[in-house]
Amino acid sequence: MGGKDVDTLLGGDGNDRLVVSGSDSGTDTMNCGAGSDTLVVAGKLAVTLVGFNALAFSIEGWEGNGAGVIGTAVAEAFDLSGIAAFSGTGLGVLDAGSGADTVIGSGFAEDLRGAAGNDIIRAGSGNDTVDGGVGNDLLQGGTGATPLSSTRAKARTSSVTSWPGRKRGTMSSTSARASSPTMRRCRRG
């Protein structure tokens, strides 16, 4: 379990549980090693992380408190694609913060947000909700039913990519200027 300082949370070869909570875990480093490892979000508040990569940290499970994950004002990457199971009350909202962030969803239903900054948000195969926030954002829908939205106070265009799949995402946009988002369709590659 990490504390208020910068911690390194290490797991062994077995099935490990790393416990994080609140803003104490923001700059912690995690590496779980072999086994089926779970990140446990304790407490009642959202956990603050300076980026997160499930594959790189070797974390396959997320036991959430449902209060969500909050990023910071720096450019961060949040990659949930390595998560194979959610438990507890789930992830809640992943709000990457106001940096130019990259967010990648898992195979489960998530609420992925970019806030301010020029963000790249890629939905996973679950029925995700994706909101780029303010900025020039690239939003990519996965194979689930994924509503995409972007609030662009200064941007003239936003790009939205919808992958071919069983269901398509939909785009809604709010802008302080009278401009339309650019819609593109791309193939997975």
Side-chain angles (χ1 to χ4, degrees):
M1 178 170 188
K4 293 185 185 230
D5 296 321
V6 177
D7 302 305
T8 300
L9 306 174
L10 299 173
D13 289 337
N15 298 340
D16 302 305
R17 294 169 52 86
L18 302 181
V19 180
V20 297
S21 66
S23 60
D24 295 344
S25 305
T27 54
D28 290 349
T29 302
M30 301 171 216
N31 189 345
C32 288
S36 181
D37 305 307
T38 301
L39 183 68
V40 179
V41 180
K44 295 182 181 180
L45 301 175
V47 64
T48 301
L49 297 174
V50 181
F52 177 81
N53 186 324
L55 289 172
F57 298 160
S58 188
I59 295 175
E60 295 80 24
W62 184 285
E63 185 176 316
N65 63 3
V69 176
I70 300 172
T72 66
V74 301
E76 300 159 317
F78 291 89
D79 186 346
L80 304 175
S81 63
I83 300 291
F86 281 100
S87 60
T89 54
L91 177 68
V93 173
L94 190 159
D95 185 339
S98 59
D101 304 304
T102 300
V103 177
I104 301 171
S106 74
F108 299 91
E110 295 139 350
D111 187 345
L112 308 172
R113 300 180 188 178
N118 299 334
D119 304 308
I120 298 170
I121 303 178
R122 295 180 180 129
S125 58
N127 293 337
D128 300 323
T129 299
V130 175
D131 186 347
V134 177
N136 254 347
D137 304 311
L138 174 62
L139 309 177
Q140 295 178 325
T143 56
T146 303
L148 307 171
S149 65
S150 179
T151 305
R152 300 171 293 109
K154 295 182 180 178
R156 292 191 180 170
T157 61
S158 288
S159 295
V160 176
T161 302
S162 169
W163 288 325
R166 292 174 291 191
K167 300 174 185 173
R168 290 190 186 148
T170 57
M171 171 69 182
S172 64
S173 179
T174 305
S175 177
R177 296 186 184 197
S179 60
S180 300
T182 303
M183 300 294 281
R184 292 187 293 162
R185 227 183 114 104
C186 297
R187 297 187 187 275
R188 271 195 243 204

